[in-house]
């Protein structure tokens, strides 16, 4: 009885890597093809997770309980200003922790001095603001002080971050002054960026008293910032329209600034699916490259296969040799892809100031997908090699 041919496990790896060691350049290109696909998937998931974590941290830091009440529009598109009683009604609403009315003062030119042409405003807006605005927004000063009930009666101004930059005022040294319309105002403060109120960044803030005295403002608020009790934010938002304008609540625009940040999370998630799909396509192309290399390898090594079969190697041993070789290519590509993807994630996260986060599931699934691609790509070449008979392989090798 002829004994069964055996292939020891210790011999399988050296035999399976003969093709890889004899043609390293071709093997490296096949590994790179798989690696690019895995790198794309890992990098997309890692970058998305890092950016989302940063965005969630910003939302938590800024709070989701800031609301705004502003002039609305009628069904015909006509602007409907808030009534004079809006600020009082909003401030008295149950669940409101703090509120601060503001009003845009139109047709007022903002200039650094009288030598600057008065044709434009440099994209800046003059706003009358209540002394409670800074605390309501949970804002912070970069320099100086904010408006108070007392200083708001005098020609003093606080600059938003963008306003200060465009006017060329970096600090308060030398008691800088600016020209609003035909009136000089002393700058007493510069704000840090207000992420949930970008319109404040582009504003020059003055008191309601000064706005009435110099520009004839009637005291009406055009935008009211509201800080609600966190647990009652949705409930308060539903009540603010009627609180601001009891007769026509539908003419009041109530918004939640943090909703824009939350919408960015949804947009990031939808974009992730697209880029992961592109990474999967790249991985598929890499798998085709591995399969192509393995088929060529079988054709080139027909003599070797025939000789091994003639010396007693079983079909399963020959097939297993090529299958393991393809599996190793996929695994190597997966490992290289994870390293490349992680590197791209860390580089971009550090550049943007994010905390680098790479999901463990992305690493695990990436390696598993690469191995699966390698196994599938090597299945047909392995079966083809196993079907070769010794006589055919030696005759055509």
């Amino acid at each position: 009885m002829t004994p069964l041919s055996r292939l020891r496990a210790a011999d399988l790896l050296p035999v399976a890597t003969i093709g890889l060691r004899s043609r390293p350049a071709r093997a490296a290109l096949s590994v790179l093809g798989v690696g690019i696909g895995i790198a794309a998937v890992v990098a997309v998931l890692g970058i998305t997770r890092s950016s989302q974590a940063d965005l969630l941290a910003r939302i938590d830091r800024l709070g989701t309980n800031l609301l705004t009440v502003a002039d609305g529009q009628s069904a015909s598109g006509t602007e409907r200003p808030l009534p004079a009683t809006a600020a009082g009604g909003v401030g008295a609403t149950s669940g409101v922790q703090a509120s601060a009315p503001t009003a845009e003062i139109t047709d007022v030119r903002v200039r650094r001095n009288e030598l600057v042409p008065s044709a434009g405003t440099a994209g800046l807006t003059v706003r009358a603001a209540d002394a409670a605005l800074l605390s309501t927004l949970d804002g912070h000063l970069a320099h100086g002080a904010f408006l108070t009930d007392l200083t708001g009666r005098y020609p003093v101004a606080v600059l938003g971050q963008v306003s200060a930059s465009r006017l060329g005022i970096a600090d308060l040294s030398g008691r800088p002054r600016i020209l609003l319309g035909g009136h000089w105002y002393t700058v007493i403060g510069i704000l840090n960026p207000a992420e949930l109120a970008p319109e404040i960044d582009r504003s020059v803030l003055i008191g309601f008293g000064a706005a009435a005295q110099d520009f004839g403002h009637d005291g009406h608020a055009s935008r009211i910032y509201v800080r609600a009790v966190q647990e009652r934010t949705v409930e308060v938002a539903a009540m603010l329209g009627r609180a601001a304008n009891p007769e026509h609540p539908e003419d009041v625009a109530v918004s939640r600034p943090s909703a824009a940040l939350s919408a960015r999370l949804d947009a990031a998630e939808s974009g992730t699916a697209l880029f992961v799909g592109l990474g999967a396509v790249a991985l598929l192309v890499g798998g085709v490259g591995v399969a192509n290399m393995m088929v060529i390898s079988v054709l080139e090594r027909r003599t070797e296969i025939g000789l091994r079969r003639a010396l007693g190697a079983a079909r399963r041993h020959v097939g297993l040799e090529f299958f393991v070789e393809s599996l190793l290519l996929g695994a190597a590509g997966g490992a290289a892809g994870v390293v490349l993807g992680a590197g791209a994630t860390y580089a971009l996260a550090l550049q943007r100031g994010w905390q680098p986060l790479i999901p463990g599931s992305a690493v695990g699934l990436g390696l598993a997908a690469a191995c699966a691609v390698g196994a599938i790509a090597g299945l047909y070449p392995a079966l083809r090699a196993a079907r070769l008979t010794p006589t055919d392989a030696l005759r055509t090798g």
Side-chain angles (χ1 to χ4, degrees), residues 70-74 76 78-82 248 250-251:
D71 295 342
Q73 290 185 338
S74 65
S76 61
T78 305
E79 184 176 341
R80 294 292 179 86
L82 295 173
H248 299 285
E250 69 280 0
D251 292 342

Side-chain angles (χ1 to χ4, degrees), residues 43 46-48 50-51 341-356:
I47 291 171
T48 300
S50 300
S51 65
T345 300
Y346 271 82
L348 185 61
L350 293 176
Q351 179 188 3
R352 298 289 182 88
W354 303 336
Q355 179 184 0

Side-chain angles (χ1 to χ4, degrees), residues 43 115 228 245 293 391:
L115 300 179
N245 192 341
M293 173 188 168
T391 53

Side-chain angles (χ1 to χ4, degrees), residues 140-147 156-161 163-164 169-172 176 178 186-192 203-205:
H140 301 279
L141 285 158
H143 302 281
F146 196 68
L147 300 168
V156 296
V158 175
L159 304 181
Q161 189 267 337
S163 297
I169 301 176
D171 54 47
L172 302 181
I178 58 175
T186 301
V187 178
I188 62 170
I190 299 174
L191 295 174
N192 280 325
S203 297
V204 175
L205 304 177

Side-chain angles (χ1 to χ4, degrees), residues 34-35 37-47 49 276 283 330-346 356-372:
V34 175
I38 297 299
V41 173
V42 172
V44 167
L45 294 177
I47 291 171
R49 178 66 62 85
V276 167
L283 181 59
V338 168
V339 172
L340 290 173
T345 300
Y346 271 82
L357 294 175
I358 300 175
S361 57
V363 175
L365 290 176
L367 290 173
C371 291

Side-chain angles (χ1 to χ4, degrees), residues 194-227:
E195 293 189 70
L196 292 183
E199 63 278 0
I200 297 299
D201 291 340
R202 299 186 297 272
S203 297
V204 175
L205 304 177
I206 63 175
F208 274 96
Q213 178 178 332
D214 291 338
F215 307 111
H217 182 64
D218 60 6
H220 281 65
S222 59
R223 183 182 296 269
I224 305 171
Y225 296 91
V226 179
R227 186 68 72 171

Side-chain angles (χ1 to χ4, degrees), residues 1-2 64 76 109 140 216 223 227 251 290 293 320 374 396:
M1 179 176 178
T2 305
T64 59
S76 61
R109 309 296 183 187
H140 301 279
R223 183 182 296 269
R227 186 68 72 171
D251 292 342
V290 171
M293 173 188 168
L320 186 60
T396 59

